Amino acid sequence: MVSYEGWILITGALVGITCGIIGAFLVLRRMAMMADAISHTVLLGIVVAFMITNSLEGIHMLIGATIAGILTTFLVQWFHSKGVQHDASIGVVFTSLFALGVILISTQVGNVHLDVKHALMGEILYIPWNTVSILGFDIPAATLMLFIVLIIVLFFIIAFYKEWKITAFDPALALSLGLPVAFLHYLFMTLVSITTVASFDAVGAIMVVAMLITPAAAAYLWTERLLVMIGLSAFFGATSAISGYYLALGLDSSVSGAMALMTGVVFLISFIGSPSHGLISKWIKPSVKNEAKQAPS
């Protein structure tokens, strides 16, 4: 039997691994701000799904949030195609849809376990109490959803790995090769959306952004190989979640906040100590070159 603490650690690790895998492609595609936008605008989809079904549990929450994520992507692309700068398009859509979700929570939802604080920070400590029975085992519903989403993400990443790789590094080449770039783009945004909403209940919007971007940015500093970057990003995400939990226990603070903080610590260590792009290596290389030039031939 998995303990109460064990379920929290497993859930946090699943968030870190799933977000880390998706985040690697977000960083390579220079779409970090889209992750921020989607992680907030899915709130609108969750609220609308609750208003229709009057329930915070079930597949309808995932569907509502996914639709909100796709709508965000579509609106950003549409505004950009009409001449609005891409970052400005993200800012307009992100703030407007998120604000609409906040207003609906305040005016329409009422006294349920869904508020702005919960949306931003989540509450991973409550996850083990809401369980479903699978083959006689009680498994937290959020943990099960995260596991299913991880399988879905791995399936599509493996199935379209070559296509993701080409579109990430050279979209123009992908288009010239006849790859369905638009389809792949919206499929990827769908994966981002379902990953976000699966993580949303456990850790909130703030940690979702931290887990999607920071571990991947740290992994980018360590390697130039995509597969290694994906693996490192997932590892950094899981490590940040686990170490963040114990940091929160020691400080008696927010678990999600501590997990997000640890992603920053991992990035800082990578930024300083990476052998290829770290500050230390950049300081050492010029000195080595200068010594080589000054050495007698």
Side-chain angles (χ1 to χ4, degrees):
M1 290 294 292
V2 181
S3 65
Y4 170 82
E5 182 180 71
W7 282 124
I8 294 174
L9 294 174
I10 291 172
T11 303
L14 284 173
V15 171
I17 292 170
T18 309
C19 289
I21 294 171
I22 289 293
F25 290 94
L26 281 170
V27 169
L28 289 175
R29 292 160 70 102
R30 299 178 182 178
M31 299 179 69
M33 287 304 297
M34 277 299 296
D36 189 14
I38 290 176
S39 69
H40 285 76
T41 56
V42 292
L43 176 65
L44 176 61
I46 291 173
V47 174
V48 172
F50 172 80
M51 292 171 61
I52 294 173
T53 63
N54 202 34
S55 173
L56 286 174
E57 300 176 5
I59 193 65
H60 57 272
M61 305 299 287
L62 183 63
I63 295 173
T66 301
I67 291 173
I70 296 173
L71 176 63
T72 301
T73 304
F74 173 79
L75 290 175
V76 168
Q77 292 294 112
W78 186 78
F79 281 123
H80 183 53
S81 69
K82 298 301 180 181
V84 181
Q85 291 184 349
H86 193 257
D87 55 347
S89 301
I90 294 174
V92 170
V93 175
F94 153 43
T95 53
S96 300
L97 296 185
F98 181 65
L100 180 58
V102 171
I103 291 172
L104 289 176
I105 286 179
S106 303
T107 60
Q108 301 295 324
V109 172
N111 295 320
V112 295
H113 185 54
L114 182 63
D115 54 37
V116 176
K117 181 180 178 182
H118 176 74
L120 291 175
M121 295 303 299
E123 191 46 84
I124 197 171
L125 295 179
Y126 295 158
I127 292 302
W129 299 113
N130 182 20
T131 63
V132 293
S133 182
I134 303 292
L135 300 177
F137 295 96
D138 290 332
I139 302 174
T143 309
L144 179 62
M145 180 180 288
L146 281 164
F147 179 75
I148 293 172
V149 169
L150 175 59
I151 297 301
I152 293 172
V153 167
L154 286 174
F155 172 79
F156 281 105
I157 292 298
I158 294 171
F160 295 99
Y161 178 75
K162 292 182 179 179
E163 289 82 356
W164 298 131
K165 188 174 182 178
I166 295 173
T167 55
F169 288 104
D170 196 339
L173 175 62
L175 196 61
S176 66
L177 291 174
L179 295 179
V181 176
F183 168 76
L184 290 170
H185 174 72
Y186 283 104
L187 175 60
F188 180 69
M189 288 297 102
T190 301
L191 294 178
V192 174
S193 299
I194 64 172
T195 300
T196 299
V197 71
S199 308
F200 195 88
D201 185 52
V203 298
I206 292 176
M207 185 178 159
V208 171
V209 176
M211 283 294 186
L212 280 171
I213 303 305
T214 317
Y220 183 79
L221 296 173
W222 288 93
T223 182
E224 294 180 354
R225 296 181 58 189
L226 179 57
L227 276 177
V228 177
M229 180 181 172
I230 294 172
L232 281 176
S233 182
F235 172 74
F236 288 158
T239 302
S240 299
I242 294 171
S243 59
Y245 172 74
Y246 289 108
L247 175 65
L249 287 185
L251 298 177
D252 191 22
S253 65
S254 165
V255 176
S256 297
M259 289 179 175
L261 174 63
M262 288 309 299
T263 64
V265 172
V266 169
F267 176 80
L268 183 61
I269 293 172
S270 302
F271 184 70
I272 295 174
S274 167
S276 55
H277 299 289
L279 288 179
I280 294 177
S281 66
K282 289 181 179 179
W283 290 336
I284 292 175
K285 287 177 182 178
S287 62
V288 172
K289 289 181 179 179
N290 290 333
E291 290 177 2
K293 289 180 180 180
Q294 295 173 2
S297 58

